[in-house]
Amino acid sequence: MTLDGPLVVHLDRAAGAPAPWQQVHDQVVAAVDDGRLVPGDRLPTVRALAQQLGVAAGTVARAYRALEASDVVSTASRAGTVVRDRTAARGDAAARAAAASLAREAVAAGLDDDAALSLLRGALAAARGR
């Protein structure tokens, strides 16, 4: 089955094909990666996509949850499910990795939480030119 519009999803129902939720997930990721979907684009509602593809709503919901976990989309009750700016997600990931590194270094140096946080606050102030 196919969904038309900025997002085209084809479900392969042949034996041995990936699960439908995985196919939806992978095709949304591919559409984002090749520019067919851009940050801010809204995906169909879970119910609408499930109905159009002829699958259970839980199948689409599972795909959307996996997309959220991968920082490909975000879901808000009023805004629906929208494509995230992946450059921001990559920046978030880099900041988390740096924070983890700082935490390991602070523990290895024997610093308590207050001392480590004080060092981080000082580094943030310096980075902001204060």
Side-chain angles (χ1 to χ4, degrees):
M1 305 204 85
T2 303
L3 172 68
D4 296 316
L7 173 64
V8 177
V9 176
H10 301 275
L11 291 183
D12 180 355
R13 297 184 188 271
W21 75 266
Q22 186 71 54
Q23 292 181 54
V24 172
H25 172 276
D26 294 349
Q27 290 178 49
V28 170
V29 169
V32 170
D33 286 346
D34 70 19
R36 286 178 286 144
L37 290 174
V38 297
D41 280 351
R42 288 176 82 174
L43 297 186
T45 65
V46 167
R47 181 178 291 164
L49 183 54
Q51 184 177 31
Q52 291 173 359
L53 294 174
V55 297
T59 299
V60 175
R62 183 173 179 186
Y64 281 18
R65 283 192 305 272
L67 289 163
E68 283 185 278
S70 302
D71 286 329
V72 175
V73 301
S74 62
T75 301
S77 59
R78 291 200 170 255
T81 302
V82 297
V83 175
R84 287 183 50 124
D85 181 351
R86 293 178 80 180
T87 57
R90 284 189 290 272
D92 290 349
R96 281 192 299 277
S101 177
L102 172 63
R104 285 189 301 274
E105 292 292 327
V107 169
L111 299 176
D112 65 16
D113 291 1
D114 290 334
L117 291 171
S118 178
L119 286 173
L120 178 58
R121 285 187 190 98
L124 285 168
R128 292 185 172 121
R130 294 187 232 165

